[in-house]
Amino acid sequence: MFDHEFDDFWEQIHLTFGIDPNSKSKRDAKNFAFQSVKEIPGEVLEIAKDQIATLDSLPRNIVKQVHHAWSKWKIRNPDRIVREQGEEDHPKCPFCEDGNIFVISRKRGCAPRTTFFACGHCRVGGSTREEIERIGWEITNPKRVRQVTHAA
Ligand SMILES: [Zn+2]
């Protein structure tokens, strides 16, 4: 985000609660807070603002509010995180475990087979849950995969 975006956000959330955003201590607090959130996309501030507006008073920890809003933003925009952060830094994608979707196949009379697919929700060239289910796999999670593998 840009500092002017954070300035506007800071001013608005303070004015929402009738607090002067330009006192010396508030300006110092703002500069300090900005250092902790400047890597976060500016549009996250809209979510943070809405979130703060529902509270009864201005939260003491604004940085925490912005980070919380960022988590929400990441869940809503899994496709955009890959572009902005690169594939190495796996975002918390709600559809997978660290970029992988674990699956199991059960056929009568056979031991269950387990494997995983690259997650198409957060990785380029991966498969989405819908695609995986359409070709007949049952989606599971790593803990269960280990148990089944052990049993088989
Ligand atoms: Zn994913």
Side-chain angles (χ1 to χ4, degrees):
M1 70 179 70
F2 297 107
D3 55 356
H4 69 82
E5 292 176 308
F6 190 69
D7 283 356
D8 289 348
F9 162 76
W10 186 267
E11 187 170 312
Q12 286 173 30
I13 56 172
H14 281 76
L15 294 178
T16 299
F17 296 101
I19 300 168
D20 174 13
N22 295 311
S23 67
K24 166 94 173 80
S25 66
K26 286 295 178 191
R27 281 206 313 273
D28 289 348
K30 180 181 75 184
N31 294 335
F32 182 72
F34 180 64
Q35 296 308 313
S36 304
V37 300
K38 63 184 177 185
E39 305 298 335
I40 296 174
E43 62 196 271
V44 168
L45 295 176
E46 288 302 313
I47 301 174
K49 207 158 55 182
D50 289 348
Q51 182 179 289
I52 290 169
T54 65
L55 304 175
D56 291 332
S57 58
L58 186 67
R60 298 179 73 85
N61 192 340
I62 304 295
V63 170
K64 191 171 162 190
Q65 291 291 323
V66 175
H67 276 270
H68 185 61
W70 193 27
S71 305
K72 283 191 192 166
W73 183 90
K74 284 191 276 197
I75 291 168
R76 290 179 198 172
N77 301 281
D79 49 328
R80 296 183 50 202
I81 297 162
V82 174
R83 248 191 0 248
E84 293 191 11
Q85 298 186 344
E87 260 202 274
E88 312 229 317
D89 183 6
H90 277 298
K92 267 269 167 262
C93 168
F95 302 104
C96 66
E97 300 280 340
D98 293 331
N100 298 313
I101 295 175
F102 291 82
V103 297
I104 182 164
S105 164
R106 293 175 210 280
K107 279 190 187 137
R108 206 178 286 267
C110 300
R113 264 179 72 210
T114 58
T115 185
F116 60 87
F117 289 82
C119 173
H121 300 278
C122 65
R123 293 174 67 173
V124 177
S127 306
T128 64
R129 292 176 75 102
E130 295 71 40
E131 288 165 350
I132 293 168
E133 284 176 336
R134 205 180 308 134
I135 58 174
W137 291 93
E138 179 189 331
I139 292 172
T140 179
N141 60 55
K143 208 169 165 192
R144 204 159 133 213
V145 169
R146 274 196 292 276
Q147 285 164 355
V148 171
T149 306
H150 184 70

